[in-house]
Amino acid sequence: MIHAALIFATACFTLGLILTVYRLAAGPNAADRILALDTIVINLIALVVLYGIWTGSQTFFEASMLIAMVGFVSTVAYCRFVLRGNIIE
């Protein structure tokens, strides 16, 4: 049963990732692209966690935390660059 749930969840997050990549490419403005990048990071975190559950390894959970931190910082930096034109004052 858990095997079927993992396959279904992986398919759903992969579909979400593909649709978000389309939004990133076709986004009409920078705000849409920033949201698409943030959503891509969230989908990647979900896929890494699902793979960690699949393999039973805790290393992937730690990797997902690192991806989350880098994704948050990069989203904030990109938003700040779009709004103010610089990242570091």
Side-chain angles (χ1 to χ4, degrees), residues 18-29 32-34 36-37 40:
I18 291 169
L19 293 174
T20 308
V21 168
Y22 171 73
R23 175 53 56 193
L24 178 67
N29 57 22
D32 289 332
R33 289 189 170 107
I34 292 170
L37 281 174
I40 286 171

Side-chain angles (χ1 to χ4, degrees), residues 1-15 47 50 54:
M1 185 67 182
I2 191 73
H3 183 75
L6 285 173
I7 290 173
F8 179 73
T10 302
C12 289
F13 281 112
T14 303
L15 178 65
L47 288 173
L50 287 173
W54 186 291

Side-chain angles (χ1 to χ4, degrees), residues 41-57:
V41 170
I42 291 169
N43 284 331
L44 284 176
I45 291 168
L47 288 173
V48 169
V49 168
L50 287 173
Y51 190 70
I53 293 171
W54 186 291
T55 60
S57 174

